Amino acid sequence: VPKLQSYRIPVPPLELQQHLVGILSRFTELEAELEAELEAELEARRRQYAYYRDHLLTFREAGGVRWIPMGEAGGFFGGLSGKSKSDFTDGNAFFVSYVNVLNNIAVDQYREDRVRVEPEERQRELRRGDIIFTGSSETPFDVGMSSVMTAEPSRPTYLNSFCIGYRLNDRDLLEPDFAKHLFRSRVMRDQIVQTASGVTRFNVSKARLAKVNFPVPPRDDQLRIAATLDKFDALVNDLSIGLPAELAARRKQYEYYRDKLLTFEEAT
């Protein structure tokens, strides 16, 4: 406290203080207005993507589109087993985390989530085309969120124990880039949320998930739809990436002018 008492602060004339407050307040107002505008634009793009996704992925049992129960088209598998907390502190392999699945329609394979896996262990490695679902959630509407391995892993990669893996018997049945949009669409989400039960936490039933039907349009249609939705998704992601960068630039600009305006020379 004695040291603080020795600090000196500038006291410009009251008129100048009021002038500086007006300038800096306007900067903060402009920053808030920009953030609101960018957030509104981002939300509009998300709604646009969701609309076209649900529109393009609504099929009838016609035009060469088959509907197949998941249990007939493939099998479910669990994640890492026999692991303790220490296995995740000094890992020699990689795994797909719950958060990775929840936040990405395509698994982010560049994340550095590590786990220790010994050569003699019998753990299932993930492959291109695998579809992963979150196994539980605090709300029934967020349960069973999906993410797809859209590329063959360049390194051994495993699944965390809180998610459910699904692998098609015929890997060519669904194009992975099509599947990543499909299993997040309304036609699939309406079915998937019905597979969960619980009170305070909701858990997916594999038996119910096996009865969920998914559409299989011709491969050319899958590729066309995936390409269209990828463009909409890119618009959302570009703005998501640009939003923090733009706001950070504005904050730096504010800090620069604040420090410039509040640097005074002592009057003689």
Side-chain angles (χ1 to χ4, degrees):
V1 175
K3 190 173 182 179
L4 288 175
Q5 291 176 341
S6 66
Y7 287 169
R8 305 171 70 201
I9 61 172
V11 184
L14 183 60
E15 184 179 353
L16 179 56
Q17 292 183 37
Q18 293 171 339
H19 180 64
L20 295 176
V21 167
I23 294 174
L24 295 175
S25 294
R26 185 54 183 154
F27 266 105
T28 57
E29 289 172 4
L30 289 172
E31 181 182 324
E33 290 172 6
L34 174 66
E35 184 172 359
E37 290 174 4
L38 292 175
E39 289 286 5
E41 175 66 18
L42 180 58
E43 182 57 30
R45 291 191 184 187
R46 284 178 178 145
R47 288 198 301 267
Q48 186 181 40
Y49 161 74
Y51 170 82
Y52 282 104
R53 178 198 62 201
D54 294 342
H55 176 73
L56 290 171
L57 295 175
T58 299
F59 304 98
R60 297 177 180 176
E61 297 240 11
V65 177
R66 295 178 292 156
W67 287 77
I68 307 176
M70 292 182 67
E72 292 183 12
F76 299 96
F77 58 91
L80 292 160
S81 60
K83 292 297 168 189
S84 64
K85 187 176 181 180
S86 61
D87 290 315
F88 295 90
T89 58
D90 184 26
N92 61 346
F94 299 88
F95 75 98
V96 177
S97 68
Y98 181 100
V99 172
N100 194 343
V101 176
L102 184 66
N103 292 341
N104 301 290
I105 61 174
V107 172
D108 181 357
Q109 297 191 36
Y110 296 98
R111 285 177 59 99
E112 294 292 313
D113 297 314
R114 291 175 175 265
V115 61
R116 177 155 292 281
V117 177
E118 302 300 341
E120 65 275 10
E121 290 186 46
R122 296 176 63 84
Q123 305 281 3
R124 185 191 291 262
E125 293 184 21
L126 291 169
R127 296 165 49 185
R128 179 179 182 270
D130 286 346
I131 303 165
I132 305 169
F133 299 91
T134 56
S136 64
S137 174
E138 294 180 353
T139 68
F141 304 105
D142 293 329
V143 78
M145 298 301 288
S146 62
S147 187
V148 179
M149 296 287 289
T150 55
E152 199 67 50
S154 59
R155 55 199 185 185
T157 304
Y158 305 90
L159 178 61
N160 76 83
S161 58
F162 300 102
C163 291
I164 300 170
Y166 177 71
R167 181 170 294 170
L168 292 165
N169 298 327
D170 179 4
R171 297 176 69 184
D172 294 328
L173 191 65
L174 289 178
E175 175 62 33
D177 282 313
F178 171 78
K180 73 185 181 188
H181 297 290
L182 174 65
F183 283 90
R184 291 268 184 143
S185 69
R186 180 52 49 199
V187 70
M188 297 305 300
R189 291 295 305 154
D190 286 345
Q191 296 184 77
I192 292 171
V193 296
Q194 299 299 321
T195 68
S197 59
V199 180
T200 58
R201 191 161 188 88
F202 297 83
N203 300 297
V204 171
S205 163
K206 291 181 183 178
R208 293 177 191 166
L209 199 58
K211 297 178 182 179
V212 168
N213 294 307
F214 65 90
V216 184
R219 184 174 179 80
D220 288 346
D221 288 347
Q222 293 186 35
L223 294 172
R224 174 182 56 78
I225 292 170
T228 301
L229 293 176
D230 279 347
K231 291 177 182 177
F232 280 106
D233 188 49
L235 289 173
V236 174
N237 289 331
D238 287 348
L239 189 56
S240 297
I241 295 170
L243 178 60
E246 179 68 20
L247 291 176
R250 286 299 182 104
R251 290 185 183 117
K252 287 183 180 178
Q253 185 181 42
Y254 164 76
E255 291 169 1
Y256 170 81
Y257 283 107
R258 178 200 62 197
D259 295 344
K260 198 81 171 174
L261 291 169
L262 297 178
T263 299
F264 304 97
E265 292 184 3
E266 186 169 2
T268 57

